[in-house]
Amino acid sequence: MSESTLPAGVHPAEAGHWVDPHRTVDAVWKLESAKIIGGLTRMVHDVGLAEELAQDALVAALEQWPRSGVPENPGAWLTAIAKRRAVDHIRRARRLDEKHHQLAHEQDQKEQRGQFAEEPDQDDALRLMFLSCHPVLPTPARVALTLRLLGGLTAGEIARAFLLPETAITRRIADAKRGLAEARVPFELPDDGAELADRLSSVLEVIYLIFNEGYSATSGDDLLRPGLTLEALRLGRLLAELAPDEPEAHALAALMEIQESRSAARTGPSGEPVRLHEQNRGRWDPLLIRRGFAAMLRARDTQHGRQPGPYLLQAAIAVTHAQARTAEDTDWPQITALYEALERLLPSPVVRLNRAVALSMARGPGAGLALLDTLTTDPALRDYHLLPAARGDLLVKLGRYGEARPEFDRAAALTRNSAERAFLSRRAQELAPAGTEGPTLGEAATAFLARDGLDASTVRAYGQTLRRLCTAFGDRHPVADLTADQITRAFTTAWGGAAAATWNRHRSAARSFARWASLGDLAAGLERRTEPPSRTLPIPPEQLAALWSRPGLPLREHSLWRLLHESGATVKAVLLLDVEEVDLDDRRARTPDGWVTWRSGTARLLPMLIADRTRGPLFLTDRRPGPARRPRDTDLDPETGRVRLSYERAEYVFKRATTSLDPAGNGWTLSRLGAR
């Protein structure tokens, strides 16, 4: 390094000891940001403002440290500067009482003496953690805000970690801050023991969610996202430090330390998953295992006779795995017993699935499969790829290869992670028979939907049903092997709690598909449900008047809505109208079911809408279709090249336009325009 490339203030003789201030700032920010933002939130009572003030201090460090050098206590320096910004803000807002004056005076004196020895309050970081994970926020918002405020990650870093657009994360964080402000969530730790336990449970859940997304990514190309697991570990260690008397905090830290210790052995040379019993245990990290054992001892020491919590039981399972020198040495009866205790505490389908796998190792694959089969109709697991993956594994152990293959196919179709999908598909292919078995369910569904004569809405409706069946059985499931009992179970899982109209619609689609494929009556076990009579309420007159008087109302929407209101016709009938069927003089148009008539409001708008067109759909979309989406000729306007307005698009536009008028804030359906 030449003298000319050294930062200002660094003597050449010190070049070998010089540390990049920018990297130091970044490291200090990661360690101290939670405490700094927490302390500022206590001062200004606004977490969004507190973060802005802390960022101002960070900018000051980036500007000053390269010139003046890194201070001896960088965390205290940042805290002092941030509090200075907070005091300035309070002064500008003219909300400075005597206490604030005194605080500003003391801060001025410290800065004049060059004293930055004040350390952030540890409790402020804990308060900030509880605030970021407050149950008033939805879980995705809690995760994003925690990573932002306590992890010190930028919106871009969070977005890349979760494979989401940066704008989505930025909006999620902003909404979270606004939600906390609107709910007036205090920056205090709960006094009530039950509330404290609930809030701590929310914090633990958020940290473990972050860890799990890094440990086994739900989507993307890679199985692991190390940045998230390391951040979750840091947050877990911080929580255990801030709440030393909470056994579940230490238990979560132990669980994550031990699970993370296996990371190097969990993937093969190409990034493919390596199952636990096949992992090279020599690659497990002994330091992380020792840290996990130490955290587990602290969790037990702080139990004080209390019942073990869910994280303590899960940590005990991880410890049992880590204590086995080989996979064969694993104490599966002990792990099964721990899962049974965990299920009594958390009777969730996922816990029961894990217990079934442990039971298969302790008592044989038949016992595990019997328990797994009780979960196949659980709606909570209908899209959970690990259920068919576990069934496939147990079926292979029982030698039932023909049954195992579609389970692996289905698991591969359900997962959104490319590495897992390739692994599961490979397992299915290894079990594939040599001969052909006829068309698969996926192939048959594609051919069924590609038939001539189906309109777009019918294709969409049938497609929803067939996609769910493909998800339930796997695209490669031989279509000839489908049975009525299988279809009944799939329907019960997918739509058992749906409205009668939804159930009947999917039932009708399944029957049509079965007739086309010559499969008999696959819906034999599905009884048609009685649909209760429904009455569509009209839009109140005053709100309807507000809709008509809205400035800048587009001509197409205004004409469609007026026509629906004045004619009382169905939405489908009106959208199927063509220009050549419209009689402007007599204020009517012919439909297959009769005439649609209207009054003066529509009569004033339709001539402007039609203009000089002589044929084609009356209501058109704004765009021309792409070359890959050629519409039917009857839905195409020959003069403009645009296509007929779809029911879905028209409904969406009306819902958005009426959200502010609807007292419920949901927006209305178009059918309410014609209700009487």
Side-chain angles (χ1 to χ4, degrees):
M1 178 182 290
S2 66
E3 183 174 343
S4 61
T5 62
L6 290 174
V10 178
H11 192 274
E14 301 172 341
H17 304 286
W18 179 72
V19 177
D20 183 358
H22 290 84
R23 297 181 67 178
T24 303
V25 170
D26 184 62
V28 171
W29 179 252
K30 292 278 187 185
L31 294 172
E32 303 291 342
S33 60
K35 300 171 187 176
I36 295 171
I37 296 173
L40 293 171
T41 303
R42 179 162 45 83
M43 289 179 66
V44 300
H45 308 291
D46 183 335
V47 69
L49 175 59
E51 188 194 3
E52 291 178 13
L53 296 170
Q55 289 288 336
D56 287 346
L58 181 64
V59 171
L62 289 170
E63 291 174 349
Q64 297 181 35
W65 291 4
R67 295 194 305 270
S68 61
V70 178
E72 291 185 7
N73 194 332
W77 190 98
L78 284 171
T79 301
I81 296 301
K83 287 187 175 181
R84 176 74 264 166
R85 299 290 193 272
V87 170
D88 290 343
H89 172 81
I90 295 170
R91 281 174 173 159
R92 286 194 300 271
R94 296 183 179 179
R95 289 186 284 113
L96 203 60
D97 56 16
E98 291 300 324
K99 181 178 179 180
H100 294 145
H101 278 298
Q102 180 63 29
L103 176 63
H105 177 68
E106 292 174 358
Q107 192 71 19
D108 285 339
Q109 287 185 328
K110 286 181 180 179
E111 290 185 16
Q112 289 169 7
R113 294 195 301 266
Q115 294 177 351
F116 295 102
E118 181 182 351
E119 292 286 351
D121 188 346
Q122 290 282 93
D123 285 345
D124 286 339
L126 185 60
R127 291 188 187 100
L128 185 64
M129 195 173 283
F130 273 66
L131 184 70
S132 301
C133 301
H134 198 283
V136 74
L137 300 176
T139 300
R142 281 184 260 168
V143 169
L145 192 61
T146 299
L147 287 171
R148 180 75 183 100
L149 299 183
L150 290 132
L153 302 184
T154 65
E157 289 171 329
I158 300 170
R160 285 192 294 276
F162 286 94
L163 305 182
L164 292 170
E166 184 174 347
T167 53
I169 294 297
T170 301
R171 184 166 55 251
R172 189 175 293 178
I173 293 170
D175 290 345
K177 293 175 184 175
R178 184 166 56 253
L180 292 173
E182 291 174 353
R184 299 181 181 275
V185 176
F187 188 65
E188 298 295 338
L189 296 176
D191 294 327
D192 179 72
E195 184 185 358
L196 179 64
D198 288 342
R199 296 281 297 279
L200 178 63
S201 176
S202 178
V203 175
L204 294 166
E205 177 192 15
V206 168
I207 294 175
Y208 199 38
L209 279 172
I210 295 170
F211 179 84
N212 277 330
E213 184 58 33
Y215 188 74
S216 185
T218 56
S219 60
D221 296 330
D222 300 318
L223 181 69
L224 309 179
R225 294 182 191 161
L228 284 178
T229 53
L230 293 177
E231 194 56 46
L233 272 171
R234 194 180 69 78
L235 291 173
R237 292 163 184 163
L238 176 63
L239 178 61
E241 176 187 338
L242 298 175
D245 298 326
E246 294 293 341
E248 283 291 84
H250 295 295
L252 175 61
L255 174 61
M256 294 191 299
E257 299 278 11
I258 294 174
Q259 286 184 321
E260 178 62 13
S261 72
R262 309 175 196 148
S263 289
R266 290 187 62 234
T267 54
S270 302
E272 70 277 11
V274 178
R275 290 172 289 178
L276 180 62
H277 68 277
E278 296 175 342
Q279 290 175 15
N280 177 0
R281 300 192 175 211
R283 300 188 67 195
W284 288 6
D285 189 327
L287 175 60
L288 289 176
I289 292 175
R290 287 196 297 272
R291 294 186 70 153
F293 286 177
M296 187 64 172
L297 290 174
R298 287 192 292 273
R300 289 175 175 172
D301 289 343
T302 54
Q303 274 292 106
H304 303 308
R306 288 178 282 185
Q307 284 291 106
Y311 293 102
L312 187 64
L313 291 171
Q314 291 177 82
I317 292 169
V319 166
T320 306
H321 279 298
Q323 287 174 331
R325 298 181 64 86
T326 66
E328 292 71 24
D329 293 337
T330 304
D331 189 348
W332 284 109
Q334 171 68 8
I335 291 175
T336 302
L338 288 168
Y339 271 121
E340 289 172 353
L342 182 61
E343 187 181 358
R344 287 192 294 270
L345 191 63
L346 291 177
S348 75
V350 173
V351 172
R352 194 169 296 118
L353 187 155
N354 285 320
R355 180 165 74 87
V357 174
L359 187 66
S360 74
M361 301 299 292
R363 302 179 192 172
L369 185 62
L371 181 55
L372 276 185
D373 285 345
T374 66
L375 300 173
T376 55
T377 57
D378 193 316
L381 296 179
R382 70 179 190 179
D383 292 333
Y384 192 54
H385 71 285
L386 293 182
L387 174 58
R391 288 197 81 247
D393 195 53
L394 296 184
L395 288 166
V396 166
K397 291 179 180 179
L398 291 169
R400 294 158 61 178
Y401 306 118
E403 297 174 70
R405 183 168 59 87
E407 292 293 335
F408 288 128
D409 277 331
R410 180 171 172 247
L414 285 172
T415 183
R416 292 184 291 129
N417 184 276
S418 299
E420 280 192 305
R421 186 183 305 113
F423 172 75
L424 292 165
S425 296
R426 188 163 56 252
R427 294 203 69 186
Q429 286 299 107
E430 290 170 354
L431 301 172
T436 178
E437 300 179 2
T440 65
L441 176 57
E443 292 168 344
T446 300
F448 176 72
L449 296 175
R451 293 175 301 151
D452 293 334
L454 295 181
D455 58 45
S457 61
T458 302
V459 171
R460 279 191 291 271
Y462 283 175
Q464 290 175 356
T465 307
L466 293 176
R467 277 195 298 274
R468 172 49 56 189
L469 294 180
C470 287
T471 299
F473 302 110
D475 285 346
R476 298 180 185 177
H477 188 90
V479 70
D481 290 351
L482 287 175
T483 66
D485 286 343
Q486 290 176 326
I487 294 295
T488 300
R489 287 196 298 272
F491 263 67
T492 302
T493 302
W495 301 296
T502 301
W503 172 275
N504 292 336
R505 175 169 60 84
H506 290 296
R507 174 181 177 272
S508 175
R511 295 184 69 187
S512 297
F513 174 71
R515 284 196 300 269
W516 172 83
S518 302
L519 299 175
D521 189 5
L522 288 181
L526 305 174
E527 292 189 5
R528 181 176 177 80
R529 295 180 178 178
T530 303
E531 299 182 24
S534 60
R535 177 175 177 268
T536 302
L537 297 175
I539 297 173
E542 61 277 9
Q543 291 168 323
L544 196 60
L547 179 63
W548 301 143
S549 61
R550 178 171 290 178
L553 198 60
L555 177 61
R556 184 190 67 184
E557 276 67 39
H558 197 176
S559 303
L560 173 62
W561 301 345
R562 280 279 189 181
L563 178 53
L564 288 170
H565 176 63
E566 293 180 359
S567 69
T570 65
V571 180
K572 185 174 182 179
V574 168
L575 290 175
L576 286 175
L577 288 176
D578 292 324
V579 172
E580 55 265 38
E581 297 164 346
V582 175
D583 187 337
L584 293 176
D585 294 332
D586 288 345
R587 298 182 181 181
R588 65 178 186 170
R590 183 185 295 277
T591 73
D593 299 324
W595 292 91
V596 171
T597 61
W598 53 85
R599 300 194 298 274
S600 59
T602 305
R604 177 174 53 84
L605 296 167
L606 281 185
M608 293 185 286
L609 178 71
I610 294 174
D612 56 354
R613 291 190 293 137
T614 58
R615 57 197 177 107
L618 177 59
F619 296 101
L620 298 169
T621 58
D622 298 323
R623 299 178 181 177
R624 294 174 177 81
R629 302 183 65 180
R630 173 72 184 178
R632 296 184 305 175
D633 290 340
T634 54
D635 289 332
L636 186 67
D637 180 46
E639 298 173 13
T640 65
R642 293 185 291 163
V643 296
R644 189 184 305 276
L645 179 65
S646 70
Y647 178 91
E648 291 78 10
R649 180 62 185 172
E651 194 77 85
Y652 171 77
V653 171
F654 188 63
K655 269 184 170 291
R656 285 196 60 182
T658 57
T659 298
S660 60
L661 297 174
D662 178 13
N666 299 321
W668 296 314
T669 60
L670 286 166
S671 60
R672 293 192 63 173
L673 283 168
R676 299 289 186 262

